[in-house]
Amino acid sequence: MKLRYVSYISNQAKILNEDHVENLLFQIREKNKKLAITGLLLLIQGKFIQYIEGPDEEIEKVYKKIKKDPRHNELVLLDSGFVNERQFKDWSMAYKKIDDVTVENITGYKNLELDQLFLEPNKGDKHPVLKVLYNFTKALAS
Ligand SMILES: Cc1cc2nc3c(=O)[nH]c(=O)nc-3n(C[C@H](O)[C@H](O)[C@H](O)COP(=O)(O)O)c2cc1C
């Protein structure tokens, strides 16, 4: 089976409270279990950063749905490709809310520059936000 992955960053349509996040995660996890999709969702300063991995065709379909989801907007693809094995085999969707200091420590971007960090849509797989994503990939993956 070809295992595909996609990562992207987006803006939350409105600030989510803990209940909203719980509901979203519940929906995502139920569906991902059925589709054999695994991954990680990060929340940073009103942004989502998500990494999903799974069967090529399922990732294609789900990513199309995610792009149209009104719960977020200004979605920017960060990275996409194929992997030999899953990074998150035990997580239908791991989740972490990350504060500014942690982002700063990982990327070296100071608080005031954080907006700039998120405004670098054309860097593709060199996007600084990927540093944050892969930092947590290493920490959570089993
Ligand atoms: C930030 C974010 C991440 C999402 N991640 C997933 C996901 O990993 N898997 C999934 O099936 N749906 C995910 N969704 C939900 C989809 O956009 C869509 O609502 C869901 O797949 C249900 O689609 P359906 O009812 O048409 O089948 C996500 C939505 C948001 C806003």
Side-chain angles (χ1 to χ4, degrees):
M1 180 180 70
K2 263 183 126 182
L3 269 181
R4 166 106 185 273
Y5 73 92
V6 166
S7 62
Y8 71 85
I9 184 167
S10 65
N11 271 324
Q12 288 174 37
K14 57 174 189 183
I15 298 300
L16 303 181
N17 63 30
E18 287 302 315
D19 280 353
H20 292 137
V21 175
E22 282 300 314
N23 288 341
L24 177 63
L25 279 173
F26 182 78
Q27 183 201 10
I28 291 175
R29 285 170 176 159
E30 287 299 298
K31 256 199 90 178
N32 286 358
K33 276 180 215 155
K34 291 187 193 128
L35 303 175
I37 292 176
T38 48
L40 167 68
L41 181 68
L42 299 177
L43 219 77
I44 305 175
Q45 282 203 334
K47 322 265 176 191
F48 289 117
I49 301 173
Q50 193 180 26
Y51 170 94
I52 50 175
E53 60 188 8
D56 193 8
E57 326 78 71
E58 303 299 353
I59 291 293
E60 191 62 38
K61 278 189 236 158
V62 165
Y63 185 55
K64 269 197 187 131
K65 283 192 177 167
I66 291 176
K67 280 196 278 192
K68 289 191 203 141
D69 197 306
R71 287 171 286 191
H72 59 177
N73 48 51
E74 292 181 49
L75 187 144
V76 175
L77 179 70
L78 294 173
D79 196 8
S80 170
F82 294 93
V83 274
N84 291 328
E85 32 175 295
R86 287 176 192 267
Q87 305 283 326
F88 291 95
K89 63 181 170 60
D90 297 328
W91 299 87
S92 55
M93 190 51 59
Y95 164 72
K96 200 148 180 52
K97 189 171 179 178
I98 300 175
D99 59 57
D100 293 2
V101 178
T102 309
V103 178
E104 214 179 295
N105 286 342
I106 297 170
T107 62
Y109 277 64
K110 295 265 176 295
N111 201 7
L112 286 173
E113 297 168 334
L114 278 179
D115 272 354
Q116 193 194 330
L117 169 67
F118 296 115
L119 287 173
E120 304 206 32
N122 297 320
K123 292 216 163 165
D125 64 1
K126 300 281 183 297
H127 199 292
V129 159
L130 282 175
K131 258 196 189 170
V132 183
L133 185 64
Y134 292 134
N135 185 279
F136 285 96
T137 304
K138 269 185 262 152
L140 289 170
S142 54

